[in-house]
């Protein structure tokens, strides 16, 4: 595995998978899995809110360091959620690749026509 951003996501997903069955007393990831999807989803909501707040701060002070850090936290927790639902980062990357070059408006309209 190289050291591309995609590879980092895949390695992190493997690490998360490895910690899934660890002792929840000593592993944050195991604790999230042990608490179940409500706890995982709540954490994603908290992290998403922190991303929005960091983006607003970046707009005001011009610094994106906190924004990058908060997005990293959000992505991490999204990887935990994906694993909980037996989905991997590659599934998301394939979907993004499928959408590449599509108009956002057209892509959204196509999702409504397939439901």
């Amino acid at each position: 595995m190289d050291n591309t951003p995609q590879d980092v996501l895949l390695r992190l997903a493997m690490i998360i998978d490895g910690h899934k069955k660890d002792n929840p007393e000593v592993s944050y990831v195991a604790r999230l899995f042990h608490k179940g999807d409500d706890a995982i989803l709540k954490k994603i909501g908290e992290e998403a809110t922190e991303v929005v707040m960091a983006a607003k701060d970046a707009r005001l002070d011009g610094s994106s360091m906190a924004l990058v850090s908060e997005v990293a936290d959000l992505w991490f927790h999204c990887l935990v959620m994906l694993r909980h639902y037996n989905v991997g980062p590659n599934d998301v990357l394939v979907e993004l690749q499928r959408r590449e070059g599509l108009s956002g408006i057209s892509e959204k309209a196509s999702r409504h026509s397939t439901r």
Side-chain angles (χ1 to χ4, degrees):
M1 214 177 270
D2 293 324
N3 200 21
T4 67
Q6 176 181 347
D7 293 328
V8 170
L9 286 175
L10 297 176
R11 281 196 309 274
L12 187 52
M14 290 187 324
I15 291 168
I16 288 167
D17 193 44
H19 287 294
K20 186 176 180 180
K21 300 283 186 190
D22 286 350
N23 180 347
E25 297 295 320
V26 296
S27 168
Y28 174 72
V29 170
R31 188 175 312 147
L32 282 173
F33 282 116
H34 180 74
K35 288 181 177 181
D37 61 350
D38 283 342
I40 295 168
L41 298 174
K42 179 181 176 190
K43 191 63 183 170
I44 288 174
E46 292 170 5
E47 295 300 338
T49 300
E50 290 174 11
V51 166
V52 171
M53 292 173 12
K56 287 182 175 259
D57 289 345
R59 179 180 62 192
L60 294 174
D61 67 20
S63 173
S64 60
M65 290 177 55
L67 178 59
V68 169
S69 177
E70 294 299 343
V71 170
D73 290 347
L74 177 60
W75 285 13
F76 172 82
H77 288 90
C78 284
L79 288 171
V80 171
M81 176 197 60
L82 289 171
R83 179 62 189 105
H84 179 76
Y85 291 108
N86 297 312
V87 178
N90 249 359
D91 298 305
V92 177
L93 294 171
V94 166
E95 175 61 13
L96 288 171
Q97 186 176 32
R98 183 192 69 78
R99 295 179 185 189
E100 190 175 8
L102 293 177
S103 155
I105 294 170
S106 299
E107 193 284 325
K108 188 171 182 177
S110 74
R111 282 188 274 157
H112 292 295
S113 66
T114 60
R115 288 184 185 171

